[in-house]
Amino acid sequence: MSHDRGTPPSDWPGLETAGMTRLTDDIHYGWLHDTNPIFWHWCAALAGVPEEHTTSGRWVAAETSAHTLVSREPLHLEPSLLWRCCGLHGFVRDGVWIPA
């Protein structure tokens, strides 16, 4: 299965029950567990890396088990999220991605 930008995690088979939500074109989250969501983002740092050398193409996952879930609906998570692969950094407050 292709994990290109046009096939975000919300369209992946097997994630139908995860409640996948789009925050931006490049950031999605879903509820694989009962506690905190898991996030995926389209990583600019992986440009040029063949898909067979990655787990999910340029979509990179981030666990949030160390974060505090302030509100599930609308989503509010503290502290900010940081993807070390490319430096994408921001907050999710009131169900909106806020770049840091």
Side-chain angles (χ1 to χ4, degrees):
M1 178 174 104
S2 176
H3 291 292
D4 60 23
R5 192 172 188 177
T7 310
S10 57
D11 294 343
W12 295 355
L15 292 182
E16 298 88 353
T17 62
M20 293 300 300
T21 301
R22 176 189 163 276
L23 284 176
T24 71
D25 287 342
D26 297 336
I27 303 171
H28 295 249
Y29 71 90
W31 300 92
L32 298 180
H33 310 292
D34 290 335
T35 53
N36 283 9
I38 293 180
F39 285 79
W40 285 269
H41 91 285
W42 183 254
C43 183
L46 294 177
V49 176
E51 185 173 342
E52 62 269 14
H53 294 220
T54 65
T55 304
S56 303
R58 287 176 57 187
W59 288 106
V60 177
E63 267 296 326
T64 59
S65 58
H67 289 72
T68 300
L69 180 63
V70 177
S71 170
R72 187 172 173 128
E73 190 60 43
L75 183 62
H76 184 149
L77 197 68
E78 293 290 340
S80 62
L81 293 167
L82 171 64
W83 278 273
R84 297 191 188 282
C85 52
C86 63
L88 179 66
H89 185 207
F91 297 87
V92 180
R93 295 183 175 146
D94 294 321
V96 176
W97 175 258
I98 304 166

